[in-house]
């Protein structure tokens, strides 16, 4: 049996009313990056015969003065909110420079010349920062993965950009939110940050510390590397390691046992020395350096040589003087014979002057005194007193 006509009319009116009023959001949940711009796509419907008088967005379902608050009148939103829709069906809005304070559910409200409507389901906005997740310390040769994390899954497809020490890293990982270092090298140490292409927000930098055993170990020599008698040569062991090497051993080539320890070593004798640097990851030795020593008593030998030269000079001088005296006597003898056969006035005056023995004795003594070393010096204690 068919129902009475009045009841049918009422059901039809109710069906038309429910179907023609509504607000739809796509998507209904948005995860946006801090300081980015968000677009909330929206459409609305209303019964035929109504004229749209006012459209606006609100973040509250609590009425104020019998109406929901309009975000365009809110000083925190007025400069950042832009309505992109119309007064027909499109109610899309754009919100720029979003921050964590903007995390809310947002609603679209419209008023016609006959009625009012608000989309109570709303669109949820979450705002996230970026954080780099990384192990604090790794060892050279290990496999390491760094992850650029967010508190929610970004709604828009993101292209990630990685930087080390503020310089962009070009990788073959299709700009994903994961950066793989396999194997990790000592050069990979640094401060890593991530960002999304097209956005200004950059994650805080995180330090990646790559540890490794000593490398490039070498020895630095203080001075010329020549040991002066009574002194020493200081050797310094240098290495590249992380953490820095704290244990050092010193060796002399062809000797199995260490001859010293510590980063600095004083060499008291000549030879070929090298160092070995250690940290918890391993050790490495340096190339050998040569330390030359002065010959003991060198100065004494030098003075002995000088004394020998002086002695030879004295002997040569004495021989010259002796030869001169012999020649003088021979000439005197010849002259005397000639003088006996000539008159006295023909004698030459040049031979009247005779060099006395005392003169030559003084000359020889002077030469000997000049060349004779100071035998009472400590340098000549072991030398004979005669030259």
């Amino acid at each position: 049996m068919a129902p009475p006509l009045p009841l049918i009319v009422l059901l039809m009116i109710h069906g038309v009313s429910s179907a023609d009023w509504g607000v739809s959001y796509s998507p209904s949940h948005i995860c946006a990056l801090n300081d980015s711009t968000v677009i909330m796509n929206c459409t609305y419907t209303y019964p035929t015969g109504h004229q749209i008088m006012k459209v606006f967005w609100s973040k509250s379902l609590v009425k104020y003065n019998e109406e929901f608050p309009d975000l365009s009148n809110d000083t925190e939103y007025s400069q950042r909110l832009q309505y992109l829709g119309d007064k027909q069906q499109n109610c899309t809005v754009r919100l720029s420079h979003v921050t964590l304070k903007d995390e809310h559910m947002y609603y679209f409200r419209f008023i016609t010349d006959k009625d009012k409507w608000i989309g109570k389901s709303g669109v949820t906005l979450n705002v996230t920062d970026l954080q780099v997740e990384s192990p604090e310390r790794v060892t050279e040769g290990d496999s390491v993965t760094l992850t650029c994390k967010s508190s929610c899954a970004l709604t828009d497809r993101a292209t990630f950009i990685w930087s080390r020490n503020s310089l962009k890293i070009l990788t073959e990982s299709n700009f994903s939110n994961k950066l793989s270092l396999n194997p990790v090298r000592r050069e990979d140490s640094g401060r890593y940050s991530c960002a999304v292409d097209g956005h200004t927000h950059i994650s805080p930098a995180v330090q990646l510390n790559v540890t490794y055993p000593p490398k490039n170990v070498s020895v630095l020599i203080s001075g010329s590397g020549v040991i002066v008698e009574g002194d020493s040569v200081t050797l310094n062991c240098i290495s590249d390691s992380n953490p820095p090497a704290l244990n050092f051993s010193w060796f002399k080539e062809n000797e199995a046992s260490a001859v010293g320890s510590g980063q600095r070593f004083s060499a008291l004798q000549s030879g070929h020395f090298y160092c070995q640097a250690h940290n918890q990851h391993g050790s490495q030795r340096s190339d050998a350096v040569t330390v030359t020593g002065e010959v003991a008593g060198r100065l004494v030998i030098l003075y002995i040589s000088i004394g020998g030269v002086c002695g030879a000079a004295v002997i040569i001088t004495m021989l010259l003087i002796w030869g001169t005296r012999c020649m003088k006597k021979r000439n005197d003898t010849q002259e005397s014979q000639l003088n006996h056969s000539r008159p006295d006035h023909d004698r030459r005056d040049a031979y009247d002057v005779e060099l006395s023995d005392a003169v030559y004795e003084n000359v020889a003594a002077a030469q000997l005194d000049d060349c004779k070393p100071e035998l009472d010096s400590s340098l000549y204690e072991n030398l004979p007193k005669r030259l």
Side-chain angles (χ1 to χ4, degrees):
M1 180 181 297
L5 183 59
L7 180 59
I8 294 176
V9 173
L10 291 175
L11 289 175
M12 289 178 63
I13 295 173
H14 178 74
V16 170
S17 177
S18 298
D20 289 350
W21 292 90
V23 178
S24 177
Y25 307 99
S26 178
S28 61
H29 184 278
I30 296 176
C31 176
L33 192 62
N34 190 18
D35 198 36
S36 66
T37 296
V38 174
I39 294 181
M40 302 179 193
N41 293 305
C42 170
T43 58
Y44 64 102
T45 58
Y46 52 92
T48 303
H50 287 251
Q51 183 179 357
I52 300 298
M53 305 301 294
K54 181 178 181 180
V55 293
F56 63 93
W57 282 79
S58 180
K59 66 176 181 179
S60 174
L61 291 178
V62 178
K63 291 185 177 181
Y64 179 76
N65 292 333
E66 300 301 324
E67 187 54 82
F68 299 106
D70 185 351
L71 287 181
S72 61
N73 297 325
D74 190 330
T75 56
E76 292 185 4
Y77 289 89
S78 58
Q79 299 298 320
R80 300 185 294 129
L81 190 70
Q82 182 181 5
Y83 184 72
L84 303 178
D86 50 36
K87 290 186 177 181
Q88 295 178 354
Q89 290 182 330
N90 190 352
C91 51
T92 300
V93 69
R94 178 169 59 200
L95 180 62
S96 60
H97 302 292
V98 295
T99 66
L100 295 176
K101 294 191 303 180
D102 294 328
E103 288 193 331
H104 291 283
M105 182 173 285
Y106 294 85
Y107 312 92
F108 175 67
R109 172 76 161 165
F110 65 96
I111 302 173
T112 71
D113 56 346
K114 298 177 181 180
D115 210 339
K116 301 177 181 180
W117 189 267
I118 187 167
K120 293 184 178 181
S121 60
V123 54
T124 302
L125 174 63
N126 292 115
V127 180
T128 180
D129 285 323
L130 296 178
Q131 300 289 336
V132 175
E133 187 178 72
S134 168
E136 292 183 2
R137 187 182 299 270
V138 296
T139 303
E140 187 176 35
D142 291 348
S143 177
V144 178
T145 299
L146 285 71
T147 305
C148 187
K149 300 189 68 175
S150 57
S151 60
C152 58
L154 295 174
T155 303
D156 296 333
R157 184 174 179 178
T159 299
F160 289 86
I161 299 174
W162 288 91
S163 300
R164 180 178 64 243
N165 299 330
S166 300
L167 298 177
K168 290 183 178 179
I169 303 173
L170 299 178
T171 67
E172 300 177 358
S173 58
N174 297 323
F175 302 101
S176 73
N177 68 324
K178 294 184 181 294
L179 176 65
S180 296
L181 303 173
N182 185 21
V184 66
R185 306 169 300 166
R186 73 188 67 186
E187 295 83 1
D188 293 326
S189 292
R191 297 183 61 80
Y192 286 80
S193 59
C194 66
V196 173
D197 190 26
H199 296 273
T200 59
H201 177 71
I202 302 175
S203 73
V206 173
Q207 179 70 36
L208 177 66
N209 189 9
V210 181
T211 61
Y212 51 90
K215 303 287 184 181
N216 304 320
V217 181
S218 61
V219 176
L220 296 181
I221 303 176
S222 298
S224 63
V226 178
I227 299 178
V228 180
E229 186 177 7
D231 204 345
S232 63
V233 170
T234 300
L235 306 179
N236 192 14
C237 190
I238 304 299
S239 70
D240 173 21
S241 60
N242 186 24
L246 297 178
N247 298 322
F248 301 88
S249 301
W250 291 90
F251 296 87
K252 189 174 183 181
E253 280 196 339
N254 302 322
E255 293 187 11
S257 301
V259 296
S261 62
Q263 190 168 7
R264 294 179 179 272
F265 172 70
S266 295
L268 301 175
Q269 54 181 293
S270 61
H272 303 286
F273 295 90
Y274 66 89
C275 70
Q276 194 167 23
H278 310 259
N279 70 4
Q280 60 263 44
H281 299 290
S283 64
Q284 188 184 65
R285 61 155 286 181
S286 69
D287 292 333
V289 296
T290 302
V291 176
T292 303
E294 295 281 5
V295 179
R298 181 183 179 196
L299 297 178
V300 176
I301 295 173
L302 178 63
Y303 279 110
I304 291 175
S305 299
I306 295 174
V309 172
C310 291
V314 171
I315 293 173
I316 293 172
T317 302
M318 293 179 64
L319 290 175
L320 290 174
I321 294 174
W322 178 79
T324 302
R325 292 183 63 184
C326 290
M327 292 295 294
K328 178 66 172 62
K329 287 183 179 181
R330 181 180 297 177
N331 292 335
D332 289 345
T333 302
Q334 293 177 356
E335 186 66 25
S336 176
Q337 292 176 355
L338 291 175
N339 288 339
H340 285 298
S341 60
R342 292 180 181 180
D344 292 339
H345 61 271
D346 291 332
R347 297 175 183 176
R348 297 174 64 180
D349 295 336
Y351 297 100
D352 290 343
V353 180
E354 294 185 358
L355 296 174
S356 65
D357 292 342
V359 173
Y360 291 102
E361 290 175 357
N362 292 335
V363 172
Q367 294 289 340
L368 288 171
D369 289 339
D370 290 339
C371 296
K372 183 177 180 181
E374 297 179 3
L375 295 178
D376 57 348
S377 173
S378 60
L379 294 174
Y380 303 97
E381 291 178 356
N382 297 326
L383 297 179
K385 299 298 182 179
R386 279 187 312 181
L387 293 175

